[in-house]
Amino acid sequence: MPNKSYHHGDLKAELIRTGLKLLDQEGYEAFSLRKVAKACNVSQTAPYRHFKNKDELIIAIAMEAMGAFNECLQKAVDQHPDNPKKQLTEMGIAYIHFFVENPEYLRLLFLSDMRYKMNEYFCAHPEYFQNDHPFQTFFQTIERYKAAVPSSNQSLGKAELMLFSWGLVHGISILIANKEIPLEGDYLSMVRKIVESEKFLD
Amino acid sequence: MPNKSYHHGDLKAELIRTGLKLLDQEGYEAFSLRKVAKACNVSQTAPYRHFKNKDELIIAIAMEAMGAFNECLQKAVDQHPDNPKKQLTEMGIAYIHFFVENPEYLRLLFLSDMRYKMNEYFCAHPEYFQNDHPFQTFFQTIERYKAAVPSSNQSLGKAELMLFSWGLVHGISILIANKEIPLEGDYLSMVRKIVESEKFLD
DNA sequence: TTTTAATGTTAACACTGTCAACTTCAATAT
DNA sequence: ATATTGAAGTTGACAGTGTTAACATTAAAA
């Protein structure tokens, strides 16, 4: 039953929710403020009462997506509380799995122009960055691993290991999600082989 | 000296050249057909005599960029004709270096919506894909390496090694170029350490 | 020399983000 | 209880976008 009152009640939340759905359905480039407004049965300019401009709405949507992504990583980590190495590999696999199954999230979070604007936003709001940002989850997992297996990859410091493992799963996610690389068969088993490859861990 | 005649002479080439410059200067989202036309001293709709639509111009521009990128990879490979392993590592480093120094190329070639349209284009024009596409350069280098060092990474097949090494340099390029990861110091020496890390080659 | 097709132009359309000005209405202050 | 105010909605307008249709120019082919 549509709320026919002049005031909507919770437009801000519905804009984010509807926006995420539209972004998922129609892609980043086709995304338009007016469409979101229309989908919420509200005038073109109503969103401006809740967001300074289009970018800020997209950033809010991206925050939602970032949270979901981070939860996914954290869950993988939490399933192996006493095994830092397995935490790292399972988190890596979860990373790839999440983005291959949700390619639109990948574009929103990392592959669109929004990425640059979000970086600015994070600089302006460091408190967010320090809490449940995937970067932190990744970094902490690396630190636990390095602490638990001090002999590991002696030639690579913490920063290099971070760049190595993050870069690896990030790149693989994109290559698969964007169909950059022709793959036959089950990508997940390939990914597991790679990520667990003893050649790069331990 | 501006060519004042009604017909331009070589508008198509100038559109691509000017377009690449604008893309580089103002970024992908700010890029507009009308601006390119204006920059070429030509009416808004003149480009439509040479390209079916905006996408086709961008694809043409991306082809140029793709060629430059592939040349860069090929050059790195050619500098070590008798050392397949060094070919692979140096190509990887060149890969990262190219995109970190030309982040707008990275966006154009891999991070924008254009990526998807280009994939469709490649499917329609497989002859291009088979020649000087970076994918081929990468794949051939992997194959030479695998042939030269058959014992390498026994647990990983050619497809997995491809996904591993390409994913690694691709991901690292993006993390650095997009400033996703805070880096202090010289990124190139870090990259060299990682890519040459004996843990993942041999 | 005539024809024609390639290459240019102008005018218009629908769509976009955004602003200014106006309206409604719930909550607060008197 | 009533007046006021400010948050949240509206309409209308503007400049910029991609794109199409109709027309103009001119180099090359017939």
Side-chain angles (χ1 to χ4, degrees):
Chain A
M1 48 184 161
N3 188 349
K4 298 255 180 168
S5 71
Y6 191 87
H7 284 62
H8 181 283
D10 197 8
L11 182 55
K12 183 166 185 171
E14 190 181 349
L15 285 170
I16 294 178
R17 204 171 345 108
T18 308
L20 183 54
K21 199 172 64 184
L22 284 182
L23 218 29
D24 205 44
Q25 283 171 5
E26 307 186 10
Y28 184 82
E29 292 221 330
F31 182 81
S32 110
L33 253 190
R34 286 162 113 109
K35 279 188 202 161
V36 183
K38 189 156 290 182
C40 293
N41 290 312
V42 111
S43 79
Q44 327 155 357
T45 56
Y48 284 88
R49 303 297 140 191
H50 301 277
F51 302 96
K52 223 179 68 191
N53 52 31
K54 187 188 182 188
D55 284 356
E56 292 226 333
L57 170 58
I58 299 186
I59 286 179
I61 296 172
M63 293 296 183
E64 286 282 310
M66 190 81 89
F69 174 50
N70 192 54
E71 266 181 35
C72 169
L73 294 188
Q74 196 64 56
K75 203 170 116 193
V77 169
D78 291 343
Q79 269 171 356
H80 307 277
D82 297 319
N83 191 338
K85 181 175 172 181
K86 203 159 176 52
Q87 282 186 333
L88 185 52
T89 58
E90 292 302 319
M91 184 187 65
I93 292 169
Y95 193 107
I96 297 169
H97 188 252
F98 181 89
F99 281 133
V100 174
E101 302 302 323
N102 304 283
E104 207 53 47
Y105 280 47
L106 178 62
R107 319 212 21 221
L108 177 60
L109 292 180
F110 288 109
L111 305 188
S112 67
D113 260 10
M114 203 36 55
R115 192 69 208 94
Y116 298 80
K117 294 164 188 164
M118 282 180 67
N119 267 339
E120 290 169 22
Y121 185 89
F122 281 142
C123 291
H125 301 262
E127 75 283 2
Y128 183 86
F129 191 78
Q130 284 171 1
N131 291 335
D132 54 343
H133 189 281
F135 175 86
Q136 299 300 329
T137 305
F138 219 109
F139 192 67
Q140 286 157 14
T141 306
I142 292 263
E143 283 204 312
R144 273 195 305 274
Y145 170 70
K146 257 295 198 185
V149 192
S151 69
S152 65
N153 270 313
Q154 283 168 326
S155 63
L156 299 185
K158 222 180 293 179
E160 279 112 357
L161 195 56
M162 180 81 178
L163 192 55
F164 191 152
S165 48
W166 190 8
L168 181 67
V169 295
H170 198 67
I172 289 179
S173 300
I174 293 173
L175 292 184
I176 298 179
N178 278 6
K179 303 195 200 321
E180 217 71 67
I181 196 167
L183 285 187
E184 64 274 354
D186 177 26
Y187 80 90
L188 265 185
S189 62
M190 279 184 67
V191 163
R192 180 166 293 278
K193 245 194 219 168
I194 292 172
V195 173
E196 289 179 343
S197 153
E198 292 296 319
K199 294 288 176 184
F200 108 84
L201 278 188
D202 241 22
Chain B
M1 49 186 160
N3 188 348
K4 296 256 180 165
S5 71
Y6 192 87
H7 286 63
H8 180 283
D10 197 9
L11 182 55
K12 183 166 185 173
E14 190 181 348
L15 285 170
I16 294 178
R17 204 169 348 107
T18 308
L20 183 54
K21 199 172 63 184
L22 284 182
L23 219 29
D24 205 45
Q25 283 172 4
E26 307 187 9
Y28 184 81
E29 292 219 331
F31 182 80
S32 111
L33 254 190
R34 287 161 114 109
K35 279 187 203 162
V36 183
K38 187 155 293 184
C40 294
N41 290 311
V42 111
S43 80
Q44 325 157 359
T45 56
Y48 284 89
R49 301 298 139 191
H50 301 277
F51 302 96
K52 225 179 68 193
N53 51 32
K54 186 188 182 187
D55 284 358
E56 292 227 333
L57 171 57
I58 298 188
I59 287 180
I61 295 173
M63 292 297 183
E64 285 281 308
M66 190 81 90
F69 175 50
N70 192 54
E71 266 181 36
C72 168
L73 294 188
Q74 196 64 57
K75 203 170 115 192
V77 169
D78 291 344
Q79 268 170 356
H80 307 277
D82 297 318
N83 191 339
K85 181 174 170 182
K86 201 157 177 54
Q87 282 186 332
L88 185 52
T89 57
E90 291 301 319
M91 185 187 65
I93 292 169
Y95 193 107
I96 296 170
H97 188 252
F98 182 88
F99 281 133
V100 173
E101 301 302 323
N102 304 283
E104 208 54 48
Y105 281 49
L106 178 61
R107 319 211 20 218
L108 178 60
L109 292 181
F110 288 109
L111 305 188
S112 67
D113 261 9
M114 201 37 54
R115 192 68 210 96
Y116 297 81
K117 294 163 188 163
M118 282 181 69
N119 267 339
E120 291 169 22
Y121 186 90
F122 282 142
C123 290
H125 301 262
E127 75 282 1
Y128 182 85
F129 191 78
Q130 284 170 4
N131 289 334
D132 53 343
H133 190 281
F135 176 87
Q136 300 300 329
T137 305
F138 219 109
F139 192 68
Q140 287 157 13
T141 306
I142 292 263
E143 282 203 313
R144 272 195 305 275
Y145 170 70
K146 257 292 198 187
V149 192
S151 68
S152 67
N153 269 313
Q154 283 168 326
S155 63
L156 301 184
K158 224 181 292 181
E160 280 113 354
L161 195 56
M162 181 80 178
L163 192 56
F164 191 153
S165 48
W166 191 7
L168 181 67
V169 295
H170 199 67
I172 290 178
S173 300
I174 293 173
L175 293 184
I176 298 180
N178 279 6
K179 302 196 201 319
E180 218 70 68
I181 196 167
L183 285 186
E184 65 274 354
D186 177 25
Y187 79 89
L188 266 185
S189 63
M190 281 183 66
V191 163
R192 180 166 294 276
K193 245 194 217 168
I194 292 172
V195 174
E196 289 180 344
S197 154
E198 291 295 319
K199 295 288 176 184
F200 109 86
L201 279 187
D202 239 24

